[in-house]
Amino acid sequence: MIADLPELTYTDVGGLSTLLSIRSLLHAGQGELRLVCPEGRVARILQISKITRIMPLYPTLDAALAAPPAAPAQPTGGAVQ
């Protein structure tokens, strides 16, 4: 699944929590969540929160579509590292 976020100007802990919940549901079914978010405020929030360590961040929709499937994630015990 791809979340196309270039028009998003802000996100808070509720938005981050939603992304993590969606990722967990997809991951349980062997899926993945890719985030399209060019450089800017939201990209910085995603990087600072370290969500980008477990969900790929792409600058464009085309880049997200062209990327190969992610390698299986290592268990983190539910915590973002």
Side-chain angles (χ1 to χ4, degrees), residues 26-59:
L26 290 169
H27 185 73
Q30 303 302 313
E32 68 177 297
L33 178 60
R34 297 176 184 190
L35 305 175
V36 176
C37 187
E39 290 299 315
R41 184 179 196 183
V42 174
R44 279 197 329 254
I45 292 169
L46 294 170
Q47 292 163 347
I48 289 168
S49 68
K50 300 186 182 181
I51 281 181
T52 56
R53 290 186 179 184
I54 61 169
M55 283 183 261
L57 187 62
Y58 299 92

Side-chain angles (χ1 to χ4, degrees), residues 4 8 10-11 13 16 20 23-24 32 39 42 49 51 54 57 64-65 71-72 76 78 80:
D4 195 11
L8 187 65
Y10 179 76
T11 189
V13 70
L16 299 177
L20 289 170
R23 185 225 179 238
S24 292
E32 68 177 297
E39 290 299 315
V42 174
S49 68
I51 281 181
I54 61 169
L57 187 62
L65 290 169
T76 62
V80 176

